[in-house]
Amino acid sequence: MGKSIIEKIWDQHIVHQEEGKPDLLYIDLHLVHEVTSPQAFSGLRMKNRKVRRPDRTFATMDHNIPTDNRHVINDKVALNQMTTLEKNCQEFNIPLAGIDSPDQGIVHVIGPELGLTQPGMTIVCGDSHTSTHGAFGSIAFGIGTSEVEHVLATQSLWRAKPKTLKIDIKGEMKKGVSSKDIILYILANYGFDFGTGHVIEYSGEAIRKMSMEERMTICNMSIEGGARAGLISPDETTYNYLKGRKYAPKGEAFEEAVQKWRELASDGDAVYDRIITIDANDVAPMVSWGTNPAMTSKVNERIPRLEECETEIERKSLERALTYMGLEEGQRIEDIHIQHVFIGSCTNSRLEDLRQAAEVVKGRHVHPNVRALVVPGSQQVKQQAEFEGIDQVFKDAGFEWRESGCSMCLSMNNDVVPSGEHCASTSNRNFEGRQGSGARTHLVSPMMAAAAAIHGHIVDARTLLAAETVS
Amino acid sequence: MNGFKTLQDKAISFDRANVDTDQIIPKQFLKRIEKTGFGKYLFYDWRYQSDGNPNQDFELNMEENQGASILIANENFGCGSSREHAPWALMDYGFNVIIAPSFADIFHQNCLKNGLLPIKLPHDQVNYLLDKGKKQPYQLKVDLENQKITDEKGFSTEFSIDPYWKTMLVNGWDEIEITLQLDDKIAEYEKAIV
Ligand code: SF4
């Protein structure tokens, strides 16, 4: 019987096995950011413990960082959290892409960009969207602060072997449909907890044709379906992306690594605990209308009606969500009015995302009722976008062009959506209050966010792509 | 951490599904660098009105629900962000046990690491408890050693818990200490991979 990539990586990382206990798993790469690490470092200090492998640890600051002028931080508590990270990295000798580093950015954007993320690795970070790194064929998952401390001290974690779920995506994405729509479509159809206890492997024709950026978007939102990790077997696309990156192996070592990575792909006869098959041809641009990512519909559909709910829990959730969102049951999705647009976050802030949004924006103008923000995922993305002139396309259209960080994805800095207003956002969570107290979030792809910015309401981005832009 | 053996205390209902960690502890409180003091911010946006006054309709603010240490919740409790501030806030507020039909993975793990006991029970049993917890006074006895929950009205059930975590919780052991005893195994592994 063959093995899946999940089992292969798992088995390669077992340090210790004992009856009645989870496995002790070696962790190859530990990414650290300012919000979930301070208490872990204090824990080490209290017990006089060291960081076992600073060379396998990498830190950045992204959650709190201002995206307008990054050197004016008025929030003293946030500032303290960032200087605490600097001090901790210094004391424990951990490399840090700090506020002035050209490598700074959202932790899940810079890991791949710097070539830290590699196939076959186990990767953890005190952040649930660590699943992003699975796009490279690694087992990558979010952990809490106690486990951050555990990994710092021991470079390992206790973990019971997860169940495996294969999601096979047949067919090809149509123009105007993106990988964000695919993952939202999966969530809309299978719910917010179908993946609990599983690691997902995404496979199939549609996945093979995707760029690394598109793959990262899908793996990123695995956690929204309850799965801590989602991954994709590596292939030529993966190796081409990694070649020449700062921390990727170089020269002969790279060729050797590729030889090893090739063996990771799941065997044809691998067995999974569960398999789901979807067809990319069925996917349209998706829009979330509720308060969890599974409350999502196709752009040309309507919000469900209360009478359509199958259970009492579902009915209550729908009722609550509609009240919070200020929307009516049965309302057309395209009639949702938008006052804010956010293009950014670890889901959709990479160069390709910005290119796709810019294609929609080019030669058009942001609707007068809309405030629109582009926040590149990293300093490198920002620079490259500026080199290509993408920033100008956005600025000419009336978008604000910002410095890199998490920004309005969770609004820990000053980028907040006011109470009661609607935001078309390329981020990953639409929970109550996520983008600000009372803020109403609609999760969409970069193309759909751009289209909403132009029209002031949700609109099918495909209609804007089809029409010739007047320049 | 102190060991957890049995607890007999007030249990209250919190009948909402998919309570996410963004609600348990909103992001504006994640900037602190301490582990304690999060209790006053627990469920902040639900607990307080925009003018800062308590929202009287919210479960936790009701007079009869004060002083509980057992929370009876609904499905998929603790979904979303990995923030460990969520169990810290629940514990700092005074909860030691959460009972629900299902929990999100990371939250579940984070609870165990902090000695907050998450107990998964079948829907019908949780529905019974939700119903009872709505009428105070109501008490539950949680016996971790024997994996049993009972009330004074004749309800009694066993619950399952991973034996590894049971041992850790009952003894109040520090996981890092245990792993460090395997230091030579980790070193051996590291030697083999370079
Ligand atoms: S961009 Fe959003 S989801 Fe991603 S790491 Fe930052 S806060 Fe978390």
Side-chain angles (χ1 to χ4, degrees):
Chain A
M1 195 176 68
K3 277 177 163 187
S4 72
I5 179 171
I6 302 163
E7 293 166 283
K8 290 185 192 178
I9 299 175
W10 194 273
D11 293 349
Q12 283 171 11
H13 286 82
I14 296 172
V15 172
H16 176 73
Q17 253 177 338
E18 205 178 310
E19 185 65 25
K21 275 192 172 185
D23 295 337
L24 186 65
L25 217 56
Y26 194 74
I27 301 302
D28 293 317
L29 175 65
H30 183 193
L31 301 166
V32 172
H33 67 83
E34 79 274 24
V35 178
T36 54
S37 67
Q39 294 85 354
F41 284 109
S42 324
L44 290 185
R45 226 174 267 123
M46 264 163 56
K47 302 232 162 149
N48 241 325
R49 286 169 178 155
K50 285 200 194 57
V51 174
R52 183 181 179 93
R53 295 295 298 264
D55 59 323
R56 288 183 177 275
T57 314
F58 193 93
T60 191
M61 38 186 84
D62 50 7
H63 282 66
N64 270 328
I65 207 160
T67 56
D68 34 16
N69 186 341
R70 47 175 53 198
H71 292 290
V72 184
I73 306 173
N74 295 321
D75 182 341
K76 293 225 165 57
V77 194
L79 180 63
N80 184 34
Q81 200 167 57
M82 288 190 264
T83 43
T84 302
L85 179 65
E86 280 169 2
K87 279 188 221 146
N88 285 332
C89 287
Q90 227 167 30
E91 179 180 339
F92 292 97
N93 215 3
I94 293 168
L96 166 73
I99 205 159
D100 291 314
S101 165
D103 292 340
Q104 182 275 341
I106 304 173
V107 63
H108 311 309
V109 175
I110 67 169
E113 192 172 75
L114 296 172
L116 288 162
T117 303
Q118 292 166 23
M121 282 184 161
T122 46
I123 303 175
V124 297
C125 172
D127 190 283
S128 58
H129 290 100
T130 307
S131 57
T132 316
H133 306 263
F136 290 79
S138 59
I139 294 185
F141 53 90
I143 54 178
T145 302
S146 298
E147 290 194 320
V148 170
E149 185 178 338
H150 191 278
V151 178
L152 287 172
T154 68
Q155 204 58 37
S156 63
L157 269 182
W158 295 96
R159 270 285 175 285
K161 202 168 185 172
K163 284 188 269 187
T164 54
L165 163 62
K166 172 158 127 163
I167 302 188
D168 207 32
I169 310 173
K170 294 190 302 190
E172 206 175 334
M173 287 191 291
K174 295 191 199 123
K175 187 161 171 68
V177 173
S178 70
S179 65
K180 175 67 161 285
D181 300 307
I182 296 212
I183 187 68
L184 284 172
Y185 174 88
I186 293 171
L187 292 163
N189 282 284
Y190 295 94
F192 47 76
D193 64 352
F194 70 92
T196 304
H198 292 76
V199 171
I200 301 174
E201 178 180 353
Y202 301 95
S203 63
E205 193 190 339
I207 292 284
R208 288 297 138 217
K209 287 196 179 132
M210 283 181 195
S211 66
M212 287 316 297
E213 281 87 345
E214 290 174 311
R215 294 179 189 185
M216 283 188 252
T217 302
I218 293 206
C219 290
N220 172 276
M221 288 186 72
S222 304
I223 184 70
E224 265 58 67
R228 284 182 123 173
L231 56 67
I232 292 171
S233 290
D235 58 14
E236 294 311 313
T237 309
T238 321
Y239 315 139
N240 288 337
Y241 177 99
L242 283 173
K243 198 167 186 173
R245 303 254 163 199
K246 191 165 174 181
Y247 295 100
K250 302 268 153 30
E252 229 169 88
F254 184 79
E255 297 313 319
E256 275 168 34
V258 170
Q259 289 314 316
K260 264 197 349 214
W261 294 339
R262 282 190 205 285
E263 289 162 25
L264 288 167
S266 290
D267 300 333
D269 55 347
V271 179
Y272 298 81
D273 293 297
R274 200 178 153 201
I275 296 178
I276 290 175
T277 306
I278 68 160
D279 190 339
N281 291 305
D282 297 341
V283 181
M286 306 293 289
V287 181
S288 81
W289 44 262
T291 49
N292 74 54
M295 291 176 158
T296 291
S297 300
K298 290 180 180 170
V299 62
N300 38 28
E301 290 178 339
R302 289 171 184 274
I303 294 173
R305 292 182 186 281
L306 290 166
E307 65 194 30
E308 291 160 14
C309 291
E310 278 163 21
T311 64
E312 186 53 25
I313 293 184
E314 225 177 89
R315 222 186 79 93
K316 264 199 246 167
S317 304
L318 176 57
E319 223 171 358
R320 264 196 74 88
L322 291 178
T323 310
Y324 179 84
M325 295 299 288
L327 296 170
E328 304 285 332
E329 53 171 329
Q331 185 180 336
R332 270 169 35 109
I333 302 282
E334 287 197 289
D335 290 339
I336 298 172
H337 286 265
I338 296 293
Q339 293 81 42
H340 300 264
V341 168
F342 170 59
I343 299 178
S345 91
C346 57
T347 314
N348 281 129
S349 64
R350 299 178 180 83
L351 195 58
E352 199 176 281
D353 301 311
L354 304 190
R355 281 189 195 135
Q356 287 184 356
E359 198 188 327
V360 173
V361 167
K362 195 164 189 176
R364 299 191 166 100
H365 209 271
V366 171
H367 191 276
N369 295 346
V370 175
R371 169 201 186 208
L373 227 68
V374 186
V375 182
S378 69
Q379 288 298 302
Q380 286 198 20
V381 170
K382 180 170 183 269
Q383 263 198 355
Q384 183 60 30
E386 288 172 358
F387 177 75
E388 291 182 17
I390 293 175
D391 60 324
Q392 209 50 50
V393 173
F394 284 116
K395 286 186 215 157
D396 288 347
F399 277 84
E400 295 175 39
W401 178 253
R402 296 291 189 85
E403 299 282 342
S404 53
C406 293
S407 176
M408 215 181 250
C409 173
L410 91 168
S411 299
M412 269 183 88
N413 63 1
N414 291 331
D415 306 334
V416 179
V417 177
S419 183
E421 301 196 359
H422 293 258
C423 178
S425 176
T426 65
S427 55
N428 44 52
R429 284 190 178 136
N430 52 348
F431 296 147
E432 288 182 29
R434 175 84 178 178
Q435 295 190 293
S437 178
R440 295 160 169 170
T441 304
H442 301 281
L443 304 175
V444 288
S445 73
M447 284 179 277
M448 287 291 288
I454 307 297
H455 283 269
H457 61 89
I458 298 289
V459 67
D460 191 337
R462 290 173 297 190
T463 59
L464 277 81
L465 285 172
E468 242 357 278
T469 348
V470 192
S471 54
Chain B
M1 214 168 13
N2 296 326
F4 187 123
K5 299 202 167 61
T6 58
L7 171 77
Q8 171 145 15
D9 207 358
K10 183 168 177 169
I12 61 168
S13 290
F14 194 65
D15 189 4
R16 298 171 188 237
N18 307 315
V19 171
D20 58 78
T21 53
D22 276 68
Q23 302 315 319
I24 298 175
I25 181 85
K27 71 232 161 199
Q28 62 268 38
F29 307 112
L30 306 185
K31 295 171 192 166
R32 303 174 66 251
I33 59 168
E34 301 83 19
K35 256 191 195 185
T36 52
F38 286 98
K40 48 183 180 290
Y41 310 122
L42 178 72
F43 295 120
Y44 193 84
D45 290 343
W46 284 344
R47 225 163 112 200
Y48 300 100
Q49 297 169 335
S50 45
D51 59 7
N53 286 318
N55 171 10
Q56 293 306 340
D57 299 334
F58 184 62
E59 291 91 321
L60 258 52
N61 289 339
M62 293 173 184
E63 183 66 43
E64 66 270 25
N65 282 347
Q66 301 308 304
S69 65
I70 301 170
L71 189 72
I72 309 158
N74 220 318
E75 63 180 26
N76 200 30
F77 192 84
C79 58
S81 149
S82 64
R83 58 190 71 166
E84 202 160 311
H85 311 69
W88 295 339
L90 286 159
M91 290 191 82
D92 195 60
Y93 182 87
F95 291 114
N96 297 107
V97 175
I98 303 176
I99 301 171
S102 59
F103 294 91
D105 274 354
I106 303 183
F107 176 79
H108 188 259
Q109 193 102 30
N110 284 343
C111 286
L112 292 167
K113 307 258 169 190
N114 287 278
L116 173 60
L117 178 62
I119 301 177
K120 206 174 136 177
L121 289 181
H123 265 288
D124 54 332
Q125 291 185 350
V126 174
N127 284 341
Y128 166 89
L129 296 174
L130 280 169
D131 193 46
K132 287 284 177 284
K134 275 177 196 146
K135 294 169 215 96
Q136 293 299 329
Y138 184 61
Q139 284 215 337
L140 278 174
K141 186 173 169 193
V142 178
D143 177 349
L144 177 56
E145 278 182 303
N146 296 304
Q147 298 176 222
K148 250 176 113 165
I149 301 180
T150 45
D151 72 4
E152 286 151 351
K153 300 182 165 74
F155 174 85
S156 172
T157 189
E158 290 187 357
F159 62 89
S160 61
I161 177 168
D162 183 297
Y164 170 78
W165 278 110
K166 180 176 168 182
T167 317
M168 296 296 287
L169 287 172
V170 169
N171 296 296
W173 279 340
D174 171 4
E175 206 181 26
I176 297 180
E177 199 52 56
I178 292 183
T179 313
L180 286 173
Q181 289 166 17
L182 293 166
D183 195 61
D184 45 344
K185 288 234 166 189
I186 302 172
E188 209 178 288
Y189 181 92
E190 284 177 328
K191 242 185 172 162
I193 56 169
V194 280

